[in-house]
Amino acid sequence: MMSALDLELTKRDIPFDCDGNRVRCFPHVINIAVKTGLSFVTTLPPLQNGQTDDDGISADEISAVLFDNPNNSEEYRNALASDLISRVRHLVNLCHASGNCRDDFRNTVLEGNSVDDESDYSDTTMLLERVVVLLRDVDTRWSSTFFMVDRFLELYPAICQFVQNDPKICDTELFSPVELQVLDDIREYLFAFHSIQELASAEKTPTLSIVLPLYEGLIEILGLMKSTLPNLSHVIDVSLEKLHEYMNKARVTRIYGLAMGTILVLSKLPF
């Protein structure tokens, strides 16, 4: 559309740059960076050799990056290779398979809230603190994967109890302690993107002037996160690469600088 507009305005001798006048959706760019990073820890549907996912990343590339990270122990690599995100999604779907399943799971959560002793609640090490439901991720909804993983970890004791008590699904593979730790690391990685999006969405005025500072802030946070989550440094690196790509595109658009300058001028006015 921008190219067509550029062509039409050029015919009318009106100066216009399709790249320099394009403003990209900030949450959409953040979502692209998240999906690009997650594509190195989840492949749904499974990729065959030679195939690529939506971001153009092949199965061989995912495997190479995953196993080249020197920070990863064998257990950690195996946990990442088991596609934890899809396994979370599968367990969430099992708990939401029908109205009866949802009711039974809610009752399990209620029982977890009423337990007085950890030893009474199967082999889990966490007690539930509130009655909430599991969440599904939606491809077009920002932060939905973070919300799904965050709620899954909160309700994992109830999920274990629910699965073990249902003879139809009792043989479903649950998560090992190492896999839960890896999933918690993934949640922390996702939270960085979610928190930045919350800063933008909390504004009640136009946010164009804060987009570049938010890009810079997120890049700085992810850079620091590489030291706190060294096992996911390969995931963080590809997200950083995608963020730099779009930030460089944004710098071509002068409207960002105009918006930042306008806010600075208005902040100095006496009214």
Side-chain angles (χ1 to χ4, degrees), residues 114-125:
S114 64
V115 171
D116 296 324
D117 184 359
E118 289 187 11
S119 61
D120 293 335
Y121 202 74
S122 184
D123 295 327
T124 58
T125 58

Side-chain angles (χ1 to χ4, degrees), residues 44 84-94 137 148:
L44 278 178
L84 298 178
I85 300 296
S86 66
R87 289 172 58 193
V88 167
R89 190 178 294 115
H90 175 64
L91 283 168
V92 170
N93 288 338
L94 286 180
D137 62 335
M148 180 183 71

Side-chain angles (χ1 to χ4, degrees), residues 15 69 71 80 128 143 146 181 184 200 215 217 224 229 244 246 258 261 270-271:
N69 189 341
N71 297 302
L80 286 175
L128 304 178
S143 297
F146 164 73
Q181 180 56 57
D184 190 57
Y215 275 134
L224 295 173
L229 296 176
H244 279 295
Y246 278 92
L258 177 62
F271 53 84

